[in-house]
Amino acid sequence: MTSLPQNRTAKRLGLVIDLDVCVGCHACVISCKEWNTGGYGNALSDQDPYGGDVSGTFLNRIHSFEVVPEGGQIIGEAGDARVVHFPKSCLHCEDAPCVTVCPTGASYKRAEDGIVLVDEDKCIGCGLCAWACAYGAREMDLAAGVMKKCTLCVDRIYNETLKQEDRVPSCVRTCPVNARHFGDLGDPNSDVSIMVAERGGFDLMPEQETRPTNKYLPPRPRTCLSDSAPIIPLAENTEGARGFFAWLDKTLDRI
Amino acid sequence: MHPAFSIILFTTLSGLGYGLAVVLGLGFLDPSLLSTKLAYLASLALIGIGLLSSLLHLGNPQRAWRALSQWRSSWLSREGVMAIATFVPLTLNATLVIFTDRYDAILGLIGVLGALVTVYCTSMIYASLRTVGSWHTRLTPLCFILISLAGGLLLAGAFAGGNALMVELLALAVILLALIAKMVWRNRATTLVPVSTPESATGLGFIGKVRLFERPHALDNYLTREMGFRVARKHAAKLWVVAFFFGAILPILTLLIAMAAGSGPTAQLVLVAGVVAHFLGVFVERWLFFAEAKHAVMNYY
């Protein structure tokens, strides 16, 4: 049934992604592909993997953006241009247009936790859900001919055969800098909700009116590079000198 | 957006077929003539070939029947249901005309309604997508329906071979209306200010101007191939002139010549040329409809 669930619980499982700490290492991309190619549904295929025109299906991708403030082209003038690494996977939207456009009922949103999934046995591979998604969260697997998307590792988070610390999405478990957090965004007292409230977490493209569950935390303000540059070059700083060298430094200064 | 050949062929062919079905369903053509019987067959064939070609772009066409299940929420599903449901009155109409020379007004009008609703559903698949700004307007279904009717009237005129002045006059009027609607549509599309920007897509607009520094992968992926199509955009201005000239100007000229020539093989031949030109023009128009459309996801690329 591809109408959105009428009786949703308050539970909204999702991710919080911290743009301040992501270093763009792509470890989550690889661990996502590794887990999900052998997990839920069809494998995530690659086309021409060792050839000149490599491409493949990924559920999580890292983009890197350059952000330049007005007049910020010159270092120290109006804040510095900076690079922000930007992980992007399905946002498990509350008003998911990818679900309602599906003609077969393959695409659905779970009433109990809000996860958006594809029943691959029903998917005809028409691609309309990928057209309806503004975030590029859905990619057609060219080998299987069905739509693939982030499952929020539904086969990990409820998996009682895994240790408690492993019952989080693969990308969250693998992130070396803790830029990705998993939790219930419908519960205002959950760690992720508190983090979003404290850091001013935001939605991507709110104007698309999809009400995403996943939130992004903004990069923290930075001190200007020119502010942190010492007036005396570091190599000429003699503050810590003692004994013979301190005497030499003073004597030479006097000459 | 990537213009899938099968989808362009489908919307062009079935649009023409449904347009012809509307003209036939209104009983404009004499059911006792052989040419009218052929027109009924042509209408069913155009719709049928169009629907079959729409299955070609599917990843798993053997499961296409499942697409009939979600008519409550999905315009694509509604289109499938309507297309099949409309086949019933259209086939009954055709059988009645071909074998008994009889036109039934009630059955005809049911077919007209079905044909119009099906074309509307097709257009709403695109018009309902907020992610593609140029499609997300009520002008999209208006253009689809008017272009379908224009083609149908022109084709009906060609089948009648100059014996249906009413159809020819209506064809002239509807081609002009379709042209105006399409020009307004395109003017809106080309001057549209996108609702989503790289700044809103990343939420980083509060720092400054956002520009892609590195793609997720060095080469293309499904998203850039499907949503980031560029080839025809390069020639968009030229192709628009082709669509304009073949889709509207040539058919109007052929209609005028046919009306001047009266009935007979000359008029029929000229009108057939007009139909071919119109088909080519609408094909290019549909190509541009997809190729020029910009998708919100490209704010990330």
Side-chain angles (χ1 to χ4, degrees), chain A residues 117-255:
Chain A
L117 290 174
V118 175
D119 179 347
E120 295 180 9
D121 291 335
K122 285 187 186 162
C123 178
I124 56 173
C126 68
L128 188 57
C129 56
W131 287 13
C133 174
Y135 307 104
R138 290 172 169 248
E139 298 188 18
M140 178 102 72
D141 189 90
L142 296 184
V146 295
M147 198 53 78
K148 303 292 299 189
K149 69 175 293 300
C150 161
T151 65
L152 211 61
C153 284
V154 71
D155 48 356
R156 286 177 71 101
I157 58 176
Y158 294 115
N159 192 336
E160 288 175 6
T161 62
L162 298 180
K163 281 188 269 178
Q164 188 59 47
E165 62 265 36
D166 286 328
R167 289 183 213 165
V168 292
S170 177
C171 57
V172 174
R173 189 76 180 97
T174 209
C175 179
V177 294
N178 265 353
R180 305 181 73 116
H181 306 272
F182 165 72
D184 181 5
L185 286 142
D187 171 10
N189 298 316
S190 68
D191 288 350
V192 281
S193 294
I194 291 167
M195 204 183 300
V196 168
E198 283 178 354
R199 293 274 308 278
F202 55 80
D203 290 344
L204 304 184
M205 292 200 236
E207 67 280 3
Q208 293 281 339
E209 296 177 18
T210 53
R211 297 203 292 141
T213 300
N214 287 11
K215 300 283 183 259
Y216 283 75
L217 305 180
R220 290 185 174 89
R222 231 178 242 177
T223 44
C224 205
L225 266 183
S226 58
D227 291 349
S228 53
I231 293 150
I232 306 168
L234 270 180
E236 295 176 24
N237 189 346
T238 54
E239 246 170 57
R242 260 178 298 197
F244 172 71
F245 289 109
W247 172 81
L248 193 62
D249 180 42
K250 266 185 216 160
T251 314
L252 287 171
D253 268 348
R254 266 186 233 121
I255 296 170

Side-chain angles (χ1 to χ4, degrees), chain B residues 71-151:
Chain B
W71 48 270
R72 286 182 201 83
S73 68
S74 164
W75 282 106
L76 179 52
S77 185
R78 285 171 199 165
E79 181 207 39
V81 171
M82 278 313 298
I84 289 175
T86 307
F87 252 109
V88 178
L90 293 187
T91 315
L92 286 175
N93 261 334
T95 318
L96 213 59
V97 167
I98 291 167
F99 294 107
T100 68
D101 288 355
R102 221 157 49 80
Y103 158 76
D104 185 89
I106 293 174
L107 208 53
L109 288 178
I110 295 174
V112 169
L113 194 70
L116 289 175
V117 173
T118 310
V119 175
Y120 179 74
C121 288
T122 306
S123 66
M124 281 308 289
I125 295 171
Y126 309 110
S128 67
L129 296 178
R130 198 187 288 274
T131 47
V132 184
S134 60
W135 295 352
H136 191 56
T137 161
R138 286 179 192 285
L139 289 169
T140 301
L142 184 71
C143 287
F144 269 70
I145 288 175
L146 283 176
I147 289 173
S148 164
L149 286 178

Side-chain angles (χ1 to χ4, degrees), chain B residues 71-270:
Chain B
W71 48 270
R72 286 182 201 83
S73 68
S74 164
W75 282 106
L76 179 52
S77 185
R78 285 171 199 165
E79 181 207 39
V81 171
M82 278 313 298
I84 289 175
T86 307
F87 252 109
V88 178
L90 293 187
T91 315
L92 286 175
N93 261 334
T95 318
L96 213 59
V97 167
I98 291 167
F99 294 107
T100 68
D101 288 355
R102 221 157 49 80
Y103 158 76
D104 185 89
I106 293 174
L107 208 53
L109 288 178
I110 295 174
V112 169
L113 194 70
L116 289 175
V117 173
T118 310
V119 175
Y120 179 74
C121 288
T122 306
S123 66
M124 281 308 289
I125 295 171
Y126 309 110
S128 67
L129 296 178
R130 198 187 288 274
T131 47
V132 184
S134 60
W135 295 352
H136 191 56
T137 161
R138 286 179 192 285
L139 289 169
T140 301
L142 184 71
C143 287
F144 269 70
I145 288 175
L146 283 176
I147 289 173
S148 164
L149 286 178
L153 284 161
L154 192 64
L155 187 55
F159 272 107
N163 283 319
L165 188 63
M166 183 65 183
V167 170
E168 286 168 347
L169 285 173
L170 274 174
L172 263 183
V174 178
I175 290 174
L176 279 174
L177 281 178
L179 181 64
I180 293 166
K182 186 68 203 183
M183 283 169 81
V184 174
W185 184 93
R186 190 156 195 273
N187 186 47
R188 178 189 169 277
T190 47
T191 55
L192 195 67
V193 180
V195 286
S196 294
T197 58
E199 286 74 31
S200 76
T202 56
L204 298 172
F206 74 97
I207 304 175
K209 187 106 186 97
V210 176
R211 196 170 65 179
L212 185 68
F213 183 69
E214 253 183 336
R215 280 185 166 206
H217 292 79
L219 298 171
D220 270 339
N221 61 37
Y222 172 74
L223 297 170
T224 59
R225 283 190 297 260
E226 189 72 8
M227 325 290 180
F229 186 78
R230 283 169 212 275
V231 178
R233 272 189 214 164
K234 189 177 150 196
H235 305 293
K238 275 183 217 161
L239 287 170
W240 170 245
V241 174
V242 170
F244 182 83
F245 194 68
F246 279 85
I249 305 304
L250 275 181
I252 288 172
L253 283 177
T254 57
L255 276 167
L256 292 174
I257 294 169
M259 277 191 269
S263 60
T266 322
Q268 194 148 29
L269 211 63
V270 170

